[in-house]
Amino acid sequence: MCESNAYIKKDDKEELYLESVDLIKPEDSRIYMRSLFGEERVFNGKIKEISLVKHKIILVEEEKI
């Protein structure tokens, strides 16, 4: 399988946001994600890093002005 897990990075910690992510669609300042199991989530922020080898997607929240 080639799916990855999505994590939210806060300070120096990573919190699991969605497992087995199959689809990622950036839309303005939001990121739409769907898992292999059909779970859908929309994250307000941006992608900081994607590691294909580690199967990891790191997300960061959008800074509020």
Side-chain angles (χ1 to χ4, degrees), residues 16-54:
L16 182 63
Y17 183 71
L18 184 61
E19 289 184 285
S20 302
V21 175
D22 176 51
L23 176 69
I24 301 173
K25 286 169 71 174
E27 298 173 348
D28 298 319
S29 63
R30 291 193 241 171
I31 301 165
Y32 167 82
M33 289 176 268
R34 185 180 66 218
S35 76
L36 280 175
F37 311 108
E39 184 178 355
E40 298 177 344
R41 288 197 146 176
V42 177
F43 180 76
N44 291 316
K46 60 185 179 179
I47 297 171
K48 177 178 175 149
E49 176 182 321
I50 298 176
S51 174
L52 300 176
V53 173
K54 294 179 182 179

Side-chain angles (χ1 to χ4, degrees), residues 47-63:
I47 297 171
K48 177 178 175 149
E49 176 182 321
I50 298 176
S51 174
L52 300 176
V53 173
K54 294 179 182 179
H55 302 278
K56 230 177 182 183
I57 304 159
I58 306 298
L59 308 168
V60 290
E61 292 179 332
E62 202 61 58
E63 291 183 26

